[in-house]
Amino acid sequence: MPLPNRPIEWADRLAKLYTPVVADVLDKLGFRNQSMNPRVRPLWPEANTAGFALTVQTVPAREQSPAQPYAGELAAVDSLRRGDVLVVSESACSFWGELLSTAATYRGCRGVVLDGPTRDSLAIRGMGFPVFHVGFHPADSLGRLDVVAHNVPISCADVLVYPGDLILADHDGVVVVPNSAAEEALRLAEEKVSGENLVRKALASGMTTTEAFKKYGIL
């Protein structure tokens, strides 16, 4: 599998956008299943993140007391690079907590998207580390789930995520931008934001929605 492009300016440009406009342009490009299931929510309302997916595949644990506890989980976190967003497949217990957030922050990780719960939530919020999750659960992952691989294609909240895809997460949800379409998606999203600014001004000045859509083709 070829290595994905990952210019850090893509992540920086994406961070200036918002999920609805990115979802709209992905629809236009034919990528119609890139928005994660709405069960994934930010740890606090203003949390947001944008970066490159480092994917993690979890499975139910094979034994309660493994000889090398947390081995796959630690390997995934230790492989994080600046600009990454850790994206984790479905789990029923807490994969993520305060200490892993501390380690990820040091490595330049921009956030975590979990198709499962987290714990140490108040401490993580106090750190300002963006986490998107499906709720809270105090139980540890040890003896409950195993990480069998990282940087492989995974399913997260009903979206197929490949290593190096771009992730944008905010209060409205989580959108996955295929790496191969990133440059075009960013360009179209930036153009749409400019167009929406014109529509907003026109609507605030009294133009009807019908007239605005006919003129700008944006709604």
Side-chain angles (χ1 to χ4, degrees):
M1 189 173 182
L3 292 175
N5 294 322
R6 46 173 295 128
I8 200 67
E9 60 265 25
W10 283 2
D12 293 339
R13 288 166 63 188
L14 190 64
K16 297 176 183 178
L17 300 169
Y18 41 94
T19 54
V21 73
V22 175
D24 287 351
V25 301
L26 288 172
D27 280 351
K28 183 175 181 179
L29 292 173
F31 299 100
R32 297 187 59 84
N33 190 42
Q34 302 304 120
S35 297
M36 290 191 182
N37 188 294
R39 64 177 176 263
V40 177
R41 300 298 303 144
L43 183 58
W44 68 95
E46 297 80 17
N48 61 84
T49 190
F52 297 96
L54 191 156
T55 56
V56 176
Q57 180 63 56
T58 66
V59 297
R62 289 161 288 193
E63 51 187 318
Q64 287 190 358
S65 301
Q68 295 181 305
Y70 305 111
E73 196 168 347
L74 300 178
V77 172
D78 287 347
S79 69
L80 285 164
R81 293 185 288 168
R82 184 173 70 92
D84 280 342
V85 172
L86 199 73
V87 182
V88 184
S89 66
E90 186 174 4
S91 66
C93 61
S94 288
F95 175 93
W96 201 254
E98 177 192 6
L99 296 181
L100 292 184
S101 296
T102 302
T105 298
Y106 176 81
R107 301 192 69 80
C109 178
R110 295 188 173 194
V112 174
V113 176
L114 307 163
D115 192 1
T118 190
R119 64 183 196 168
D120 303 328
S121 55
L122 294 180
I124 295 171
R125 179 172 179 171
M127 294 170 57
F129 183 76
V131 170
F132 289 75
H133 64 156
V134 301
F136 307 95
H137 200 289
D140 187 27
S141 62
L142 183 62
R144 294 184 174 90
L145 67 80
D146 291 332
V147 171
V148 293
H150 65 271
N151 267 338
V152 296
I154 67 166
S155 176
C156 182
D158 304 329
V159 176
L160 184 60
V161 185
Y162 289 88
D165 283 351
L166 280 164
I167 305 296
L168 178 63
D170 59 24
H171 190 264
D172 284 322
V174 184
V175 176
V176 181
V177 181
N179 188 279
S180 61
E183 187 61 66
E184 187 174 14
L186 285 167
R187 177 181 60 80
L188 291 175
E190 289 163 347
E191 290 175 358
K192 192 171 192 294
V193 168
S194 296
E196 286 184 351
N197 290 338
L198 295 175
V199 172
R200 188 180 300 107
K201 184 176 180 180
L203 292 174
S205 299
M207 182 180 286
T208 67
T209 55
T210 301
E211 291 170 331
F213 185 71
K214 183 176 180 180
K215 181 174 182 179
Y216 297 105
I218 294 174
L219 191 60

PDB file of all heavy atoms in Angstrom, residues 60-77:
ATOM      1  N   PRO A  60     -12.171  -7.855  20.757  1.00  0.00           N
ATOM      2  CA  PRO A  60     -12.324  -8.315  22.154  1.00  0.00           C
ATOM      3  C   PRO A  60     -11.081  -9.070  22.607  1.00  0.00           C
ATOM      4  O   PRO A  60     -10.455  -9.805  21.839  1.00  0.00           O
ATOM      5  CB  PRO A  60     -13.550  -9.232  22.079  1.00  0.00           C
ATOM      6  CG  PRO A  60     -14.331  -8.729  20.905  1.00  0.00           C
ATOM      7  CD  PRO A  60     -13.306  -8.281  19.911  1.00  0.00           C
ATOM      8  N   ALA A  61     -10.722  -8.877  23.859  1.00  0.00           N
ATOM      9  CA  ALA A  61      -9.498  -9.486  24.387  1.00  0.00           C
ATOM     10  C   ALA A  61      -9.589 -11.006  24.375  1.00  0.00           C
ATOM     11  O   ALA A  61     -10.646 -11.588  24.632  1.00  0.00           O
ATOM     12  CB  ALA A  61      -9.243  -8.999  25.810  1.00  0.00           C
ATOM     13  N   ARG A  62      -8.446 -11.628  24.109  1.00  0.00           N
ATOM     14  CA  ARG A  62      -8.380 -13.090  24.084  1.00  0.00           C
ATOM     15  C   ARG A  62      -8.117 -13.672  25.473  1.00  0.00           C
ATOM     16  O   ARG A  62      -8.413 -14.825  25.744  1.00  0.00           O
ATOM     17  CB  ARG A  62      -7.293 -13.538  23.103  1.00  0.00           C
ATOM     18  CG  ARG A  62      -7.656 -13.292  21.649  1.00  0.00           C
ATOM     19  CD  ARG A  62      -6.465 -13.285  20.733  1.00  0.00           C
ATOM     20  NE  ARG A  62      -5.663 -12.072  20.946  1.00  0.00           N
ATOM     21  CZ  ARG A  62      -4.707 -11.660  20.128  1.00  0.00           C
ATOM     22  NH1 ARG A  62      -4.413 -12.365  19.057  1.00  0.00           N
ATOM     23  NH2 ARG A  62      -4.036 -10.548  20.377  1.00  0.00           N
ATOM     24  N   GLU A  63      -7.532 -12.865  26.364  1.00  0.00           N
ATOM     25  CA  GLU A  63      -7.270 -13.339  27.725  1.00  0.00           C
ATOM     26  C   GLU A  63      -7.294 -12.164  28.689  1.00  0.00           C
ATOM     27  O   GLU A  63      -7.003 -11.029  28.309  1.00  0.00           O
ATOM     28  CB  GLU A  63      -5.928 -14.071  27.798  1.00  0.00           C
ATOM     29  CG  GLU A  63      -4.763 -13.304  27.202  1.00  0.00           C
ATOM     30  CD  GLU A  63      -3.497 -14.138  27.152  1.00  0.00           C
ATOM     31  OE1 GLU A  63      -3.234 -14.843  28.142  1.00  0.00           O
ATOM     32  OE2 GLU A  63      -2.773 -14.054  26.155  1.00  0.00           O
ATOM     33  N   GLN A  64      -7.624 -12.417  29.928  1.00  0.00           N
ATOM     34  CA  GLN A  64      -7.752 -11.349  30.917  1.00  0.00           C
ATOM     35  C   GLN A  64      -6.410 -10.856  31.429  1.00  0.00           C
ATOM     36  O   GLN A  64      -6.275  -9.696  31.821  1.00  0.00           O
ATOM     37  CB  GLN A  64      -8.600 -11.824  32.099  1.00  0.00           C
ATOM     38  CG  GLN A  64     -10.075 -11.936  31.787  1.00  0.00           C
ATOM     39  CD  GLN A  64     -10.912 -12.176  33.029  1.00  0.00           C
ATOM     40  OE1 GLN A  64     -10.391 -12.290  34.137  1.00  0.00           O
ATOM     41  NE2 GLN A  64     -12.222 -12.250  32.847  1.00  0.00           N
ATOM     42  N   SER A  65      -5.402 -11.724  31.429  1.00  0.00           N
ATOM     43  CA  SER A  65      -4.083 -11.346  31.948  1.00  0.00           C
ATOM     44  C   SER A  65      -3.015 -11.659  30.901  1.00  0.00           C
ATOM     45  O   SER A  65      -2.268 -12.650  31.031  1.00  0.00           O
ATOM     46  CB  SER A  65      -3.789 -12.088  33.255  1.00  0.00           C
ATOM     47  OG  SER A  65      -4.760 -11.799  34.227  1.00  0.00           O
ATOM     48  N   PRO A  66      -2.899 -10.830  29.861  1.00  0.00           N
ATOM     49  CA  PRO A  66      -1.934 -11.120  28.801  1.00  0.00           C
ATOM     50  C   PRO A  66      -0.499 -10.974  29.293  1.00  0.00           C
ATOM     51  O   PRO A  66      -0.211 -10.218  30.230  1.00  0.00           O
ATOM     52  CB  PRO A  66      -2.256 -10.059  27.737  1.00  0.00           C
ATOM     53  CG  PRO A  66      -2.887  -8.942  28.494  1.00  0.00           C
ATOM     54  CD  PRO A  66      -3.656  -9.585  29.601  1.00  0.00           C
ATOM     55  N   ALA A  67       0.409 -11.700  28.651  1.00  0.00           N
ATOM     56  CA  ALA A  67       1.822 -11.650  29.043  1.00  0.00           C
ATOM     57  C   ALA A  67       2.426 -10.278  28.791  1.00  0.00           C
ATOM     58  O   ALA A  67       3.324  -9.841  29.515  1.00  0.00           O
ATOM     59  CB  ALA A  67       2.602 -12.723  28.279  1.00  0.00           C
ATOM     60  N   GLN A  68       1.934  -9.590  27.755  1.00  0.00           N
ATOM     61  CA  GLN A  68       2.414  -8.241  27.433  1.00  0.00           C
ATOM     62  C   GLN A  68       1.225  -7.286  27.421  1.00  0.00           C
ATOM     63  O   GLN A  68       0.661  -6.974  26.360  1.00  0.00           O
ATOM     64  CB  GLN A  68       3.123  -8.239  26.078  1.00  0.00           C
ATOM     65  CG  GLN A  68       4.396  -9.066  26.064  1.00  0.00           C
ATOM     66  CD  GLN A  68       5.063  -9.013  24.697  1.00  0.00           C
ATOM     67  OE1 GLN A  68       4.474  -9.318  23.667  1.00  0.00           O
ATOM     68  NE2 GLN A  68       6.333  -8.621  24.704  1.00  0.00           N
ATOM     69  N   PRO A  69       0.821  -6.810  28.578  1.00  0.00           N
ATOM     70  CA  PRO A  69      -0.369  -5.953  28.647  1.00  0.00           C
ATOM     71  C   PRO A  69      -0.205  -4.659  27.860  1.00  0.00           C
ATOM     72  O   PRO A  69       0.872  -4.070  27.838  1.00  0.00           O
ATOM     73  CB  PRO A  69      -0.510  -5.672  30.148  1.00  0.00           C
ATOM     74  CG  PRO A  69       0.838  -5.952  30.729  1.00  0.00           C
ATOM     75  CD  PRO A  69       1.435  -7.028  29.894  1.00  0.00           C
ATOM     76  N   TYR A  70      -1.263  -4.256  27.192  1.00  0.00           N
ATOM     77  CA  TYR A  70      -1.340  -3.000  26.430  1.00  0.00           C
ATOM     78  C   TYR A  70      -0.366  -2.938  25.245  1.00  0.00           C
ATOM     79  O   TYR A  70      -0.144  -1.853  24.683  1.00  0.00           O
ATOM     80  CB  TYR A  70      -1.067  -1.781  27.319  1.00  0.00           C
ATOM     81  CG  TYR A  70      -1.924  -1.656  28.548  1.00  0.00           C
ATOM     82  CD1 TYR A  70      -1.373  -1.822  29.810  1.00  0.00           C
ATOM     83  CD2 TYR A  70      -3.278  -1.336  28.460  1.00  0.00           C
ATOM     84  CE1 TYR A  70      -2.148  -1.686  30.958  1.00  0.00           C
ATOM     85  CE2 TYR A  70      -4.059  -1.196  29.598  1.00  0.00           C
ATOM     86  CZ  TYR A  70      -3.486  -1.376  30.839  1.00  0.00           C
ATOM     87  OH  TYR A  70      -4.254  -1.238  31.968  1.00  0.00           O
ATOM     88  N   ALA A  71       0.205  -4.049  24.830  1.00  0.00           N
ATOM     89  CA  ALA A  71       1.287  -4.004  23.834  1.00  0.00           C
ATOM     90  C   ALA A  71       0.867  -3.290  22.555  1.00  0.00           C
ATOM     91  O   ALA A  71       1.556  -2.378  22.073  1.00  0.00           O
ATOM     92  CB  ALA A  71       1.761  -5.420  23.517  1.00  0.00           C
ATOM     93  N   GLY A  72      -0.257  -3.675  21.991  1.00  0.00           N
ATOM     94  CA  GLY A  72      -0.696  -3.052  20.740  1.00  0.00           C
ATOM     95  C   GLY A  72      -1.104  -1.608  20.920  1.00  0.00           C
ATOM     96  O   GLY A  72      -0.840  -0.753  20.059  1.00  0.00           O
ATOM     97  N   GLU A  73      -1.746  -1.316  22.032  1.00  0.00           N
ATOM     98  CA  GLU A  73      -2.189   0.040  22.339  1.00  0.00           C
ATOM     99  C   GLU A  73      -0.993   0.982  22.466  1.00  0.00           C
ATOM    100  O   GLU A  73      -0.975   2.086  21.886  1.00  0.00           O
ATOM    101  CB  GLU A  73      -2.983   0.000  23.650  1.00  0.00           C
ATOM    102  CG  GLU A  73      -3.825   1.214  23.940  1.00  0.00           C
ATOM    103  CD  GLU A  73      -4.776   0.949  25.090  1.00  0.00           C
ATOM    104  OE1 GLU A  73      -4.955  -0.229  25.486  1.00  0.00           O
ATOM    105  OE2 GLU A  73      -5.345   1.926  25.585  1.00  0.00           O
ATOM    106  N   LEU A  74       0.026   0.544  23.198  1.00  0.00           N
ATOM    107  CA  LEU A  74       1.213   1.382  23.392  1.00  0.00           C
ATOM    108  C   LEU A  74       1.977   1.567  22.090  1.00  0.00           C
ATOM    109  O   LEU A  74       2.493   2.660  21.812  1.00  0.00           O
ATOM    110  CB  LEU A  74       2.113   0.761  24.455  1.00  0.00           C
ATOM    111  CG  LEU A  74       1.490   0.585  25.842  1.00  0.00           C
ATOM    112  CD1 LEU A  74       2.466  -0.087  26.785  1.00  0.00           C
ATOM    113  CD2 LEU A  74       1.027   1.916  26.400  1.00  0.00           C
ATOM    114  N   ALA A  75       2.057   0.523  21.276  1.00  0.00           N
ATOM    115  CA  ALA A  75       2.752   0.636  19.990  1.00  0.00           C
ATOM    116  C   ALA A  75       2.074   1.657  19.094  1.00  0.00           C
ATOM    117  O   ALA A  75       2.745   2.439  18.401  1.00  0.00           O
ATOM    118  CB  ALA A  75       2.803  -0.728  19.305  1.00  0.00           C
ATOM    119  N   ALA A  76       0.745   1.687  19.107  1.00  0.00           N
ATOM    120  CA  ALA A  76       0.010   2.657  18.291  1.00  0.00           C
ATOM    121  C   ALA A  76       0.278   4.079  18.768  1.00  0.00           C
ATOM    122  O   ALA A  76       0.572   4.980  17.964  1.00  0.00           O
ATOM    123  CB  ALA A  76      -1.480   2.346  18.335  1.00  0.00           C
ATOM    124  N   VAL A  77       0.189   4.300  20.064  1.00  0.00           N
ATOM    125  CA  VAL A  77       0.420   5.651  20.601  1.00  0.00           C
ATOM    126  C   VAL A  77       1.858   6.091  20.354  1.00  0.00           C
ATOM    127  O   VAL A  77       2.114   7.252  19.983  1.00  0.00           O
ATOM    128  CB  VAL A  77       0.071   5.693  22.104  1.00  0.00           C
ATOM    129  CG1 VAL A  77       0.481   7.031  22.715  1.00  0.00           C
ATOM    130  CG2 VAL A  77      -1.422   5.450  22.304  1.00  0.00           C
TER     131      VAL A  77
END
